[in-house]
């Protein structure tokens, strides 16, 4: 059964926990394993932190997360901002590359998203914003008869 | 979250708990760094036993303390790592710095 939800919230660091918990709570209806839910929480946390730290660096803006559950048991999670955008996506995705060392960012945000989900897509326009689409396939469980 | 800490001779242990993300890492960093600067321990133990969740902010936190302790001529050991955090810790390359307690290793901080 397909299903969908959207939340919008301000880019405050205190909302990072709210964002990952909300996405996990919605996806819980697919009966994921504890490990799958932890993977989703981790990937979403990275994407939202990027919005807080980079997209809206010296300002507060809106972050929108849309989650779509598909008939084949996948969760498609889109995290969008209207912040500064990314000049060089390839560079931004390089492990250990960071533009915020003073915040002690490890430069692993995209590496973690890639490792903890099945597919990561990035679309960005400098000055307009960024959208990250994470796809997580949940393994099919045998239905109880 | 304000972490609990314990100073035993020249060994400082910081007990982390709950979720470690970009938001909570800031406070942990402040408390830990103030203590390192004040007490100048030779060993810093970061105890993760009560940590439920961590993203790459936790890696930044460990790396930052690793560099700071090096500066003071000391070392860092990450101990009591929950199984569900092993993957993100190992993805970070922290394993190569010999700061992570191995799975099944008797915790050095338990005395």
């Amino acid at each position: 059964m397909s299903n969908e939800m959207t939340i919008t919230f301000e880019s405050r660091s205190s909302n990072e926990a709210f964002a990952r918990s909300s996405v996990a709570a919605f996806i819980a209806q697919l009966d994921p394993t504890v490990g799958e839910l932890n993977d989703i929480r981790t990937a979403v946390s990275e994407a939202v932190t990027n919005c807080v730290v980079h997209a809206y660096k010296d300002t507060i803006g809106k972050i929108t997360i849309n989650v779509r559950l598909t008939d084949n048991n996948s969760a498609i999670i889109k995290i969008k901002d209207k912040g500064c955008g990314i000049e060089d996506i390839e560079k931004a995705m390089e492990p250990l590359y960071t533009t915020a060392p003073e915040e002690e960012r490890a430069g692993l945000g995209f590496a973690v998203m890639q490792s903890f989900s099945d597919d990561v897509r990035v679309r960005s326009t400098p000055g307009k914003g960024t959208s990250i689409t994470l796809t997580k396939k949940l393994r099919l469980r045998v239905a109880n008869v | 979250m304000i972490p609990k800490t314990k100073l035993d001779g020249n060994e400082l242990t910081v007990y982390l708990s709950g979720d470690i993300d970009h938001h909570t890492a800031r406070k942990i960093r402040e408390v830990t760094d103030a203590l390192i600067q004040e007490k100048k321990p030779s060993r810093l133990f970061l105890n993760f036993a009560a940590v439920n969740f961590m993203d790459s902010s936790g890696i930044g936190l460990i790396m930052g303390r690793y560099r700071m302790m090096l500066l003071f001529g000391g070392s860092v050991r990450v101990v009591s790592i929950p199984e569900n955090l092993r993957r993100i810790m190992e993805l970070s390359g922290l394993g190569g710095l010999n700061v992570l307690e191995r799975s099944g290793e008797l915790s050095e901080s338990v005395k």
Side-chain angles (χ1 to χ4, degrees):
Chain A
M1 182 190 64
S2 65
N3 196 355
E4 189 172 345
M5 77 93 164
T6 303
I7 49 172
T8 299
F9 52 93
E10 291 191 339
S11 62
R12 300 182 189 279
S13 63
S14 56
N15 284 334
E16 290 157 5
F18 163 76
R20 62 177 178 265
S21 305
S22 302
V23 172
F26 183 67
I27 292 172
Q29 62 191 288
L30 290 183
D31 196 20
T33 62
V34 174
E36 285 169 339
L37 265 191
N38 188 55
D39 290 355
I40 290 163
R41 264 196 287 266
T42 310
V44 169
S45 197
E46 299 295 347
V48 172
T49 302
N50 275 351
C51 299
V52 174
V53 174
H54 300 290
Y56 299 114
K57 194 173 191 305
D58 298 307
T59 178
I60 296 287
K62 296 277 169 65
I63 301 169
T64 296
I65 302 183
N66 171 270
V67 184
R68 204 155 52 79
L69 309 180
T70 68
D71 288 330
N72 61 359
N73 243 34
S74 287
I76 299 163
I77 306 159
K78 188 182 267 192
I79 299 111
K80 273 174 79 169
D81 67 68
K82 291 184 176 170
C84 67
I86 304 170
E87 294 281 348
D88 186 343
I89 295 174
E90 219 171 296
K91 186 91 188 151
M93 291 182 83
E94 264 174 34
L96 306 179
Y97 175 80
T98 181
T99 54
E102 73 286 354
E103 283 242 30
E104 268 188 2
R105 307 306 306 156
L108 291 169
F110 280 115
V112 171
M113 283 182 240
Q114 283 168 328
S115 171
F116 285 70
S117 53
D118 294 290
D119 187 55
V120 180
R121 282 172 199 228
V122 185
R123 295 183 66 176
S124 190
T125 310
K128 294 243 164 121
T130 300
S131 106
I132 308 277
T133 307
L134 307 169
T135 303
K136 182 75 178 171
K137 292 176 191 153
L138 304 171
R139 97 263 150 276
L140 282 167
R141 288 198 181 177
V142 180
N144 291 323
V145 182
Chain B
M1 175 195 29
I2 297 174
K4 287 201 183 92
T5 57
K6 183 182 82 178
L7 188 70
D8 183 2
N10 52 13
E11 292 185 350
L12 174 67
T13 305
V14 179
Y15 297 90
L16 306 162
S17 63
D19 288 14
I20 300 180
D21 62 11
H22 160 248
H23 181 70
T24 61
R26 187 171 305 164
K27 192 78 209 168
I28 300 166
R29 194 159 71 209
E30 281 171 19
V31 170
T32 307
D33 288 1
L35 268 172
I36 293 172
Q37 274 159 347
E38 189 195 332
K39 309 289 184 190
K40 300 204 168 39
S42 61
R43 294 270 269 167
L44 170 69
F45 291 101
L46 297 173
N47 188 310
F48 274 71
V51 176
N52 301 316
F53 171 87
M54 142 180 158
D55 63 17
S56 70
S57 310
I59 295 164
L61 184 77
I62 297 168
M63 291 297 298
R65 307 298 71 65
Y66 171 80
R67 289 196 200 102
M68 191 172 199
M69 287 300 291
L70 268 188
L71 216 62
F72 287 107
S75 62
V76 174
R77 197 85 181 139
V78 180
V79 299
S80 301
I81 305 168
E83 277 311 307
N84 62 324
L85 299 186
R86 284 242 160 238
R87 200 163 125 223
I88 191 160
M89 291 233 188
E90 274 155 20
L91 181 101
S92 68
L94 281 170
L97 298 176
N98 194 30
V99 297
L100 302 182
E101 184 181 55
R102 284 186 298 276
S103 182
E105 184 180 327
L106 185 65
S107 183
E108 290 176 61
S109 62
V110 180
K111 289 179 186 168

